Structure formats: C-alpha cells, structure tokens
C-alpha cells in the first residue's frame, strides 16, 4: 500500500514554517506539486528554504505570497495556480495565528486579526478551491474524488482555552465550516476533513517548549509524553488527501498524543 498524490496539485497555506511546512514536504514526497504559500515579503526566505528542501528531495512546487485574509489576494492565488498548473486538487487550509490576551483586555484588532486569518482565510480559500474542483470535475487519472480540502484546526476546537478566546472561537467555527462543506458538496465527490493538532513543536507555541520547565508542564497535558512534530501532521495530511482515504469525509481527526483525553482526570474526578 502506497500513498500517492502523483499528478495532483496542492495549495498549502502558511507553508513557510511550522505545521504547514511539514505538510508541504509530506505532500511533495507523495508526488504532489505544492504551492508553498506564505503571507508576506518577510516570510519569503523561509518559504524558499522549504521549497528548496522539496526540490532537493526530487519534488516540485513554487512559493506564492498571499495573505489569506484578503479576498483579492486569495482569488489571484487560485487563478495563478490554475494558469500555471492547470488545476488544484488539494487545499490544505493551514495558515493560522494567535494573538493571545485575557478576554477583558482583548482588543478588537486582536479579535479581528485571528478570525481574519484562521476563519475568514479558510472560508476564502475553500470557496476558490471548491469552485475550481467543480469547474474541472472528476478526473480519475488524478484522483477518484473531485477534490480534497483539509482544514487545520486544533484540539481547541473542543478544548476551551482561557486567554485565547479569539483562537478557540476560530477553531470551534472551523469544525462547523468543515462539516457543512462536507455535507453541501458530498454529492459532488468533494471530501472535506479537519486535522486537529495538539501541541506541535513550532514557532507559534515556542513559549510552551523552549525551556525545560515549560516543556515539563506541557508534557503534563500529554499522556503520550512527547511534544508533536510537524511530520506527525504531514503524515496524516498525505494519507487524508490520497484515495486511500476516499470514504473519510466530514470528520475531525485529532493528532495530539491523547491530549483530548484530559490528562488531569487520570488522578482526579
Ligand atoms: C496552539 C498551540 C498549543 C496547542 C495545544 C494549538 O492549536 O496553536 O499554541 O500549544 O494548540 O494547546
């Protein structure tokens, strides 16, 4: 059994670092041509480094700058991808940010920034991807599905998170976005799922792992007793995007070392 994404084109948002970069590498290793999206000029160097790793390993792709919270930029990213590669088969809706604050101190800018990237960005990219999937139709030389969308959500789509109301609200909403799209486009053979990572060692949560004390207290939340790596998410993304997962749609899969079993209950309750 082999995971193959040969002849397929994948757009991976927020692919210049963290979980997105791990997913971009996994999809490329499975044969997909990958659009390594990054949000700004500042992240171009990182995106180029990820693309170099991909091409050095024999894969294909391009870097593409687009702020996913901006409608005109998202429309253009999909138009340019289709003109360059013919179509899009896979969308990994990954770009995400945190702007943490105690709720009563949270500014509207912090709220809007997180909802803008994490939720509106996923809406805009999913809409353009689905329009392209429907335009192309099923092409079994590529995949038996018409298209695949994987939303990168979080354990915080079900775990409330004090001090992170904007982030948790965005992730909870992604669950309903994902399930609604799976329902609305199931008959068109478009598969839509979410991956919900737990604590993955990336820049977004550096404070939680960069000192031995912080890592120790983080591990208290993870029964499997290790922090996750971007590759842990990339492995599942490649499988979920492939035809091996053809009957999987409309669901959230947690990749979290059992964080969602609520470790604190192992000695209480
Ligand atoms: C957040 C991380 C956090 C993890 C587990 C993720 O969605 O982005 O900052 O470490 O959830 O709490």
């Amino acid at each position: 059994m082999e995971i193959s994404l040969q002849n397929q084109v994948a757009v991976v948002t927020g692919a210049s670092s963290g979980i997105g970069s791990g997913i971009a590498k996994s999809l490329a290793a499975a044969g997909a041509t990958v659009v390594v999206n990054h949000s700004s000029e500042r992240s171009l160097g990182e995106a180029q480094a990820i693309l170099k790793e991909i091409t050095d390993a024999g894969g294909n792709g391009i870097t593409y700058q687009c702020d996913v919270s901006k409608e005109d930029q998202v429309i253009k990213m999909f138009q340019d991808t289709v003109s360059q590669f013919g179509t899009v088969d896979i969308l990994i809706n990954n770009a995400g940010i945190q702007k943490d604050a105690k709720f009563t101190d949270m500014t509207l800018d912090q709220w809007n920034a997180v909802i803008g990237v994490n939720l509106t960005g996923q809406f805009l990219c999913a809409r353009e991807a689905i329009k392209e999937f429907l335009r192309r139709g099923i092409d079994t030389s590529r995949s038996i599905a018409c298209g695949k969308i994987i939303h990168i959500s979080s354990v915080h789509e079900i775990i409330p998170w004090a001090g992170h109301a904007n982030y948790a609200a965005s992730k909870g909403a992604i669950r309903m976005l994902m399930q609604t799209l799976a329902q609305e486009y199931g008959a068109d053979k478009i598969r839509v799922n979410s991956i919900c990572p737990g604590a993955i060692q990336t820049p977004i949560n550096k404070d939680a792992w960069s000192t031995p004390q912080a890592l120790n207290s983080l591990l208290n939340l993870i029964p499997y007793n290790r922090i996750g790596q971007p590759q842990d998410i990339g492995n599942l993304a490649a499988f979920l995007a492939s035809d091996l997962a053809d009957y999987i749609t409309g669901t959230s899969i947690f990749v979290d070392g059992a964080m969602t079993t609520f470790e604190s209950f192992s000695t209480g309750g």
Side-chain angles (χ1 to χ4, degrees):
M1 195 170 60
E2 194 197 331
I3 296 176
S4 170
L5 301 175
Q6 284 304 332
N7 303 325
Q8 299 192 54
V9 179
V11 173
V12 183
T13 67
S16 55
S17 75
I19 289 174
S21 65
I23 295 175
K25 288 188 260 181
S26 295
L27 300 192
T33 296
V34 178
V35 176
V36 178
N37 160 255
H38 61 104
S39 62
S40 67
E41 194 64 44
R42 237 178 336 111
S43 43
L44 174 61
E46 286 177 319
Q48 284 170 334
I50 300 303
L51 182 60
K52 183 164 186 318
E53 282 189 57
I54 288 173
T55 51
D56 284 353
N60 269 323
I62 55 166
T63 62
Y64 196 100
Q65 183 181 329
C66 158
D67 174 345
V68 296
S69 69
K70 303 283 188 316
E71 185 174 34
D72 54 337
Q73 294 186 29
V74 170
I75 290 172
K76 187 158 187 320
M77 175 169 68
F78 278 84
Q79 277 170 351
D80 288 348
T81 302
V82 172
S83 8
Q84 184 160 355
F85 298 117
T87 190
V88 174
D89 303 274
I90 299 159
L91 165 64
I92 309 291
N93 242 339
N94 167 76
I97 57 171
Q98 286 182 216
K99 299 268 182 203
D100 308 328
K102 189 174 157 47
F103 187 66
T104 43
D105 295 334
M106 189 174 283
T107 63
L108 182 58
D109 280 351
Q110 288 173 318
W111 175 267
N112 283 340
V114 170
I115 298 297
V117 173
N118 297 15
L119 184 57
T120 308
Q122 294 213 6
F123 153 66
L124 291 170
C125 291
R127 190 184 63 183
E128 295 315 301
I130 291 175
K131 283 197 229 163
E132 172 55 21
F133 298 163
L134 296 172
R135 182 201 66 77
R136 169 182 26 82
I138 297 174
D139 171 356
T140 51
S141 70
R142 315 172 73 86
S143 171
I144 51 183
C146 183
K148 283 86 54 151
I149 296 179
I150 299 172
H151 298 275
I152 303 305
S153 178
S154 166
V155 290
H156 298 296
E157 81 168 38
I158 60 164
I159 304 180
W161 203 16
H164 310 261
N166 47 2
Y167 185 87
S170 73
K171 297 300 183 178
I174 285 169
R175 184 185 184 89
M176 276 297 118
L177 174 63
M178 175 277 289
Q179 290 194 304
T180 300
L181 296 182
Q183 189 190 64
E184 194 164 333
Y185 293 99
D188 296 296
K189 292 252 168 268
I190 294 172
R191 292 196 294 109
V192 190
N193 292 291
S194 291
I195 298 178
C196 302
I200 309 298
Q201 189 167 19
T202 68
I204 207 173
N205 59 359
K206 198 161 186 290
D207 291 348
W209 52 261
S210 53
T211 65
Q213 297 87 319
L215 183 61
N216 213 33
S217 87
L218 179 66
L219 292 180
N220 285 332
L221 301 173
I222 308 172
Y224 205 58
N225 214 32
R226 75 163 170 88
I227 192 166
Q229 296 301 325
Q231 197 62 53
D232 291 312
I233 309 301
N235 291 342
L236 176 60
F239 167 74
L240 260 187
S242 79
D243 284 352
L244 291 175
D246 190 59
Y247 204 49
I248 304 178
T249 187
T251 203
S252 290
I253 302 180
F254 289 78
V255 181
D256 66 352
M259 188 178 242
T260 35
T261 65
F262 301 99
E263 167 112 61
S264 47
F265 275 84
S266 63
T267 52

